[in-house]
């Protein structure tokens, strides 16, 4: 790419290695997305974003930086975007979803660490992702041991701020998270040079709520008997939501939802009648991790919902917009974010309840509980998930995988067998 | 069909849709001799190419180049990024 190369060079990227990543994208994208039939027209926007994923949005961010805005890189759905936006900052998700970045991560991290963390560290240290180069500061959190140690290593290379995540959900824990949000606000003010006012925070809360509502409309459409959109496409929408401008994200998701709702009225489905409906639960699928969804949807299944950080955890529940003082707004934010049910909490019955509820709401035939290799939290919680699903009479398949292609055939065999036996 | 900007690509897509020509947004394939300014390309059926070119010409759309490539899409390849 002619002018993109200048952008990447200016960001100090390793262009030779980056070219190798760019060479793989068109093939994988073609196999996963362009092989689908009858996709919604609204997906063209998302296809465009992915097609030039290291060009379009990075260029916008660099231009914004020239105008004085600061870019905050985040790795978790507990970090409140609202606080950054209230100070005229920009949030970009930084989780790595490609095996390409893993070897560079393994140069400084143990191999026995989850691929998401290894890829995230590798993307920064390997200098092969513009988003990791652009961010002025990274906001980490203590949601797992691997991340905590990774922040220390990343902190040697880039400004790093870490929020301490409570591990329980007692009232005092919600109060602690409120204090963490307030402390983050101070850091954001210091970084941007802008004061966070109640008015600005209220506007930011509204912006992110509107984004959630728009994405939830896309999810609602997936409850229809005739599925107007594939799980692959819905996942792509969610993955892009993490780094797109939030107002544009809401606008494009609403346009897509309009089309999906019309498709439901017209009885348009992207899957043949009788395709088994699958809920995927577990660890997040950061872009460009399309592996499991693609295998499921080319093995006789349709993914109708994701109970994950790249799914319902990101968009369910809104922040109360009625508060007018900063202290009350921080509390409203703490209450909403502490309502997210991640396996990092103990006990964590909320997630189990969510899975069973979503399985019913989306009328699923089966659940696939997936966790990335070496993610002890989700691996261990699989025990409770499976017991609850068994009690509810919902078939469940547990899968452990990573970003490599090596287990694809084995996964396909297991998933095809699972789908075959679903009633 | 290759483009220098993503806005050119999306403008051409709109024109093709209006003309009833099937086109899909795709990353620009690697290995072409042309080096367009952006990573967004449109995939068209060769049978539609003449009509597409006429549409581009009639509407003054900006296109960086056209390359003819065999389809490499294989959903069972199971090779990911």
């Amino acid at each position: 790419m002619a002018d993109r190369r200048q952008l990447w060079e200016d960001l100090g990227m390793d262009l030779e290695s980056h070219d190798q990543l760019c060479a793989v994208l068109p093939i994988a994208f073609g196999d996963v997305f362009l092989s689908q039939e009858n996709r919604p027209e609204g997906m063209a926007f998302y296809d465009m974003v992915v097609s030039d994923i290291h060009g379009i949005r990075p260029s916008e961010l660099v231009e914004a930086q020239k105008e004085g805005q600061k870019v905050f890189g985040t790795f978790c759905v507990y970090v409140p975007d609202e606080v950054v936006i209230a100070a005229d900052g920009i949030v970009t998700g930084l989780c790595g979803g490609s095996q390409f970045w893993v070897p560079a991560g393994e140069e400084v991290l143990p191999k026995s660490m989850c691929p998401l963390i290894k890829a995230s560290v590798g993307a920064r240290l390997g200098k092969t992702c513009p988003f990791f180069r652009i961010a002025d500061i990274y906001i980490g959190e203590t949601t797992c041991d691997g991340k905590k140690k990774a922040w220390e290593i990343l902190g040697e290379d880039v400004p790093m701020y870490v929020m301490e995540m409570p591990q329980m959900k007692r009232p005092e824990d919600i109060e602690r998270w409120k204090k963490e949000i307030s402390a983050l606000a101070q850091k954001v003010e210091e970084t941007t040079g802008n004061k966070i006012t109640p008015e600005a925070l209220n506007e930011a809360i509204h912006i992110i709520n509107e984004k959630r509502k728009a994405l939830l409309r896309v999810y609602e459409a997936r409850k229809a008997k005739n599925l107007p959109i594939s799980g692959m496409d819905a996942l792509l929408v969610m993955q892009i939501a993490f780094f797109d401008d939030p107002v544009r994200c809401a606008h494009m998701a609403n346009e897509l939802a309009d089309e999906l709702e019309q498709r439901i009225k017209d009885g348009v489905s992207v899957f043949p009648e009788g395709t088994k409906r699958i809920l995927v639960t577990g660890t997040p699928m950061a872009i460009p991790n399309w592996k499991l969804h693609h295998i499921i949807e080319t093995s006789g299944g349709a993914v109708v919902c994701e109970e994950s950080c790249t799914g319902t955890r990101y968009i369910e529940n809104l922040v109360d917009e009625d508060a007018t003082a900063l202290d009350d707004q921080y509390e409203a934010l703490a209450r909403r974010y502490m309502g997210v049910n991640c396996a990092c909490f103990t006990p964590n019955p909320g997630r189990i309840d969510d899975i069973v509820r979503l399985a019913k709401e989306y009328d699923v035939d089966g659940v696939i509980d997936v966790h990335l290799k070496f993610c002890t939290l989700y691996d261990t919680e699989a025990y409770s998930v499976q017991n609850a699903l068994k009690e509810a009479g919902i078939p469940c398949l547990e899968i452990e995988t990573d970003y490599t292609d090596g287990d694809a055939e084995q996964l396909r065999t297991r998933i095809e067998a699972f789908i075959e036996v679903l009633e | 069909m290759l483009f220098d900007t993503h806005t050119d690509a999306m403008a051409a897509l709109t024109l093709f849709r209006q003309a009833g020509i099937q086109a899909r947004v795709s990353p620009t394939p690697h290995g072409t001799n042309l080096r367009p300014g952006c990573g967004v390309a449109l995939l068209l059926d060769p049978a539609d190419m003449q009509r597409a070119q006429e549409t581009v010409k009639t509407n003054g759309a900006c296109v960086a180049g056209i390359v003819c490539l065999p389809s490499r899409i294989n959903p069972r390849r199971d090779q990911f990024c």
Side-chain angles (χ1 to χ4, degrees), chain A residues 15-78:
Chain A
L15 297 189
E16 202 175 318
S17 295
H18 184 248
D19 277 350
Q20 294 169 27
L21 177 60
C22 292
V24 183
L25 178 69
I27 298 167
F29 181 86
D31 290 350
V32 173
F33 293 98
L34 300 182
S35 62
Q36 296 178 42
E37 301 284 337
N38 197 22
R39 299 173 72 210
E41 286 195 353
M43 286 309 297
F45 167 77
Y46 301 95
D47 293 347
M48 174 198 79
V49 174
V50 179
S51 296
D52 204 358
I53 191 165
H54 284 180
I56 298 171
R57 185 61 177 154
S59 298
E60 289 179 352
L61 295 178
V62 168
E63 287 307 307
Q65 283 176 320
K66 286 178 187 167
E67 298 297 316
Q69 284 187 281
K70 298 292 181 188
V71 177
F72 293 72
T74 63
F75 300 84
C76 179
V77 298
Y78 284 103

Side-chain angles (χ1 to χ4, degrees), chain B residues 1-3 12 16 19-24 41-58 63 65-69:
Chain B
M1 194 171 281
L2 311 178
F3 301 89
F16 294 152
I21 300 167
Q22 292 285 325
R24 291 178 294 172
L42 295 181
L43 297 187
L44 292 109
D45 189 321
D48 292 330
M49 194 49 79
Q50 192 179 340
R51 277 183 65 214
Q53 285 178 288
E54 285 166 7
T55 303
V56 165
K57 194 175 175 184
T58 306
V63 174
I66 296 170
V67 288
C68 189
L69 296 169

